[in-house]
Amino acid sequence: MPPLLCAVDVGSRSARAAIVTGQGELLGRGESPIALHEPRRDHIEQDSEDIWRAVCLAVRSALAISGAPAGDVAGIAFDATCSVAVRDRDGRPLSVSSGDEPVRDTMVWMDHRALEEAATATATGHAVVGLAGGVLSPEMAVPKMMWLKRHRPQTWARTGYVFDLADFLAWRA
């Protein structure tokens, strides 16, 4: 059999995987849920380890349905929401929660806690802001990182990696 591809899409509530041929024929599809937490208004969080578990389950399911051996898969690609996963210098998860919630290291795309930071960054008028459409959204990584630095300085001091979710998945893979 010619080499196969694995496509993984991570949304707000589930991870989906597909095994396809080089011509795009779908051989198998799997899906696994992801927990979504809203400990307070505008704070939407996930655990990147839970996301990774869901990805692995979805991929295993898609492979099983396809009937193809894992060794036939030549490559994997990830697509995900614009969420931000935060890790320490050793790659361990760091909590992004503003309270005493369990370690949830991922600010989901729809997390709007960084409204003030988005407005502050937009007000700079920096050329990069222009490249982003002239206005930064609290859904973007920069305002989320600014929020973390302002509101969780102890966490910010320990931060080694800040990943867009798709980049985290590639790093983890």
Side-chain angles (χ1 to χ4, degrees), residues 70-94:
D72 286 355
V73 175
I76 187 167
F78 298 100
D79 181 40
T81 61
C82 185
S83 299
V84 174
V86 181
R87 297 284 175 129
D88 70 12
R89 289 172 186 87
D90 294 321
R92 293 182 299 251
L94 287 174

Side-chain angles (χ1 to χ4, degrees), residues 6-133:
C6 180
V8 177
D9 177 50
V10 177
S12 302
R13 296 193 181 269
S14 69
R16 296 159 300 273
I19 303 299
V20 298
T21 66
Q23 293 71 40
E25 178 188 357
L26 177 65
L27 301 180
R29 182 185 183 282
E31 185 169 355
S32 184
I34 300 169
L36 191 66
H37 306 276
E38 187 174 3
R40 59 189 45 82
R41 186 171 181 261
D42 291 331
H43 291 229
I44 316 293
E45 303 165 353
Q46 290 179 319
D47 173 354
S48 66
E49 293 300 313
D50 182 45
I51 295 168
W52 182 249
R53 277 187 294 277
V55 165
C56 292
L57 288 170
V59 169
R60 285 187 189 112
S61 176
L63 270 171
I65 291 166
S66 77
D72 286 355
V73 175
I76 187 167
F78 298 100
D79 181 40
T81 61
C82 185
S83 299
V84 174
V86 181
R87 297 284 175 129
D88 70 12
R89 289 172 186 87
D90 294 321
R92 293 182 299 251
L94 287 174
S95 177
V96 297
S97 296
S98 58
D100 295 328
E101 291 84 10
V103 173
R104 291 192 290 263
D105 65 329
T106 304
M107 289 184 210
V108 180
W109 68 270
M110 62 183 136
D111 181 302
H112 284 185
R113 72 182 77 180
L115 281 167
E116 182 180 323
E117 289 76 13
T120 298
T122 297
T124 66
H126 193 280
V128 172
V129 174
L131 295 173

